Amino acid sequence: MSKHYKIATVPGDGTGPEVTVEAVKVLNTVASKYNFSVELQDYDIGGDRYLETGEILPDSVLEEFRQFDAILLGAIGHPDVKPGILEKGILLRTRFELDQYINLRPVKLFPGVETPLKDKGPEHIDYVVVRENTGDVYAGAGGVTMKGTPHEAAVQTGVYTRHQVDRALKYAFEYTRKRNKRNTLALCGKTNVMTYLYDLWERAFHEMGEAEYPEIRRDYYHVDATCMWMVKNPEWFDVIVTGNMFGDIITDLGAVTQGGMGIAAGGNINPEGVSMFEPIGGSAPKYTGQGVINPLAAVCSAQMMLDILGETEAAKDIEAAVMDVTANKLKGLGAGKMGYSTSEVGDLIADRVS
Ligand code: IPM
Ligand code: MN
């Protein structure tokens, strides 16, 4: 029997809707080829709805999200809304409430794509960051006192439980084993300064690795050194696991080494629940409606979604199509620099997979 997937789409703000259309185009094309079906339901949450109604993410929508197989997000962020409101209210809230405790961010340089790293090519830049997605300074612990006075004091505490750390590590070790590339998992931390938080991570990392994954090589890097090696010797990396804040930072660096925000995709994953897939780049308001934005990050998010849903052949096919198009068609990845419009790029991918 062919599989049927119920997908919630949240096109969101700015160029989000334009790139989501292209991701859906590709999704529908592979669905017919690989004999599964997708049923999409669109949600209009985002900046415009907030400005019109004051609603950010209604509880009822969040409850509905739980009924889907996955969520496909375009972009969140509106120039007329104060930064933080939508990000916290939609993106972070969904991650937390649906307990999407992994943020999976591949850093892969596709053929034909320019990288700012000198003398590096696709053979050097191909690793995956497993970012823990629920804890750390994102947990919201802290506060402020004497606000607005010269004595204002602000505290924001990183919080990790052993449970959170263990489940993230487990995912990372399993992922490394399944990927079976260099069988190396690197922990990115800061054990020399964050002697509570990353001490917990480091002990848990070695305990689990030794007991359950003896065939996986374990490396450790401080976060500052990680940044250096990501630029200097990216080929050292296979899978990197890290906390939420460091993961946020190093994946932007990773994204720029793989050609920028036009191509970088991520998945907010609850391995036991509903996951949400999104291009890492923002809503790029200045390009809205011009048909110049690169949809490949959104296409790659849909590809990751299919992979996680178990449609691995379809996912591989999309990746091959993206690689073919970056290698042989596109002039560049930046908005307006592709040599094709947003929808033409979607067509190129769809034609290649059909
Ligand atoms: C990301 C973003 C978010 C984060 C922001 C928008 C809250 O930077 O997905 O990387 O910090 O996680
Ligand atoms: Mn970020």
Side-chain angles (χ1 to χ4, degrees):
M1 212 186 78
S2 81
K3 287 221 172 144
H4 181 72
Y5 299 102
K6 284 172 66 188
I7 310 294
T9 47
V10 181
D13 302 318
T15 51
E18 295 162 58
V19 297
T20 305
V21 165
E22 302 313 314
V24 166
K25 186 191 279 175
V26 174
L27 206 53
N28 285 328
T29 311
V30 285
S32 49
K33 180 171 174 186
Y34 289 92
N35 197 33
F36 61 86
S37 52
V38 275
E39 179 187 335
L40 302 166
Q41 189 171 332
D42 228 33
Y43 285 88
D44 68 347
I45 55 178
D48 288 328
R49 175 154 171 185
Y50 172 67
L51 290 171
E52 273 163 40
T53 69
E55 282 177 315
I56 300 177
L57 175 60
D59 293 344
S60 58
V61 171
L62 202 50
E63 281 318 301
E64 285 178 43
F65 278 171
R66 296 182 198 277
Q67 313 305 317
F68 287 90
D69 292 299
I71 304 164
L72 196 59
L73 184 99
I76 294 294
H78 195 291
D80 301 335
V81 181
K82 212 175 114 205
I85 295 180
L86 301 169
E87 293 88 334
K88 260 185 130 164
I90 298 174
L91 204 57
L92 295 182
R93 182 151 177 246
T94 307
R95 289 177 185 174
F96 289 135
E97 299 258 0
L98 299 185
D99 203 17
Q100 294 162 340
Y101 62 85
I102 298 297
N103 197 325
L104 194 64
R105 296 187 164 183
V107 180
K108 183 168 181 169
L109 180 66
F110 288 141
V113 175
E114 213 180 308
T115 174
L117 300 190
K118 191 164 165 278
D119 300 331
K120 301 292 177 188
E123 68 277 27
H124 303 109
I125 304 174
D126 182 7
Y127 56 94
V128 177
V129 178
V130 175
R131 165 185 173 189
E132 200 289 330
N133 212 27
T134 60
D136 212 334
V137 290
Y138 285 77
V144 62
T145 183
M146 294 175 282
K147 191 167 178 173
T149 76
H151 300 283
E152 176 166 346
V155 182
Q156 197 123 26
T157 309
V159 180
Y160 267 117
T161 66
R162 179 73 193 231
H163 168 74
Q164 283 176 314
V165 171
D166 275 343
R167 66 183 185 174
L169 288 172
K170 176 123 206 127
Y171 188 90
F173 275 116
E174 290 290 333
Y175 191 91
T176 310
R177 181 183 267 172
K178 195 166 155 229
R179 176 173 156 96
N180 195 21
K181 190 161 181 257
R182 298 185 58 237
N183 288 296
T184 302
L185 179 61
L187 172 64
C188 162
K190 188 74 184 171
T191 52
N192 52 350
V193 174
M194 294 164 79
T195 48
Y196 307 124
L197 272 187
Y198 279 98
D199 178 62
L200 169 59
W201 274 88
E202 194 179 35
R203 276 181 288 118
F205 177 60
H206 291 300
E207 274 172 36
M208 186 179 289
E210 207 171 294
E212 296 172 53
Y213 305 92
E215 82 283 13
I216 309 276
R217 174 186 151 139
R218 276 170 274 134
D219 287 342
Y220 171 82
Y221 301 94
H222 293 321
V223 62
D224 43 357
T226 307
C227 292
M228 182 172 71
W229 299 125
M230 281 169 68
V231 171
K232 214 165 173 287
N233 293 102
E235 64 278 6
W236 286 358
F237 296 116
D238 182 14
V239 181
I240 300 176
V241 63
T242 189
N244 207 347
M245 186 80 262
F246 293 165
D248 177 47
I249 298 166
I250 71 169
T251 52
D252 266 29
L253 175 58
V256 87
T257 68
Q258 69 178 121
M261 292 303 183
I263 192 89
N268 300 278
I269 295 171
N270 177 340
E272 298 87 32
V274 183
S275 303
M276 173 170 70
F277 299 84
E278 52 169 341
I280 302 186
S283 55
K286 69 174 175 183
Y287 297 118
T288 305
Q290 297 176 23
V292 295
I293 196 81
N294 187 340
L296 288 182
V299 170
C300 290
S301 308
Q303 181 248 329
M304 190 192 279
M305 176 178 85
L306 289 178
D307 192 41
I308 301 281
L309 288 172
E311 297 293 339
T312 45
E313 290 308 310
K316 273 190 208 142
D317 204 350
I318 296 177
E319 188 180 70
V322 172
M323 286 164 91
D324 185 35
V325 166
T326 59
N328 301 311
K329 302 277 186 192
L330 299 194
K331 291 205 180 78
L333 293 190
K337 303 206 173 93
M338 300 181 290
Y340 296 88
S341 70
T342 304
S343 69
E344 283 170 343
V345 174
D347 288 342
L348 286 173
I349 306 289
D351 288 347
R352 171 68 172 67
V353 295
S354 65

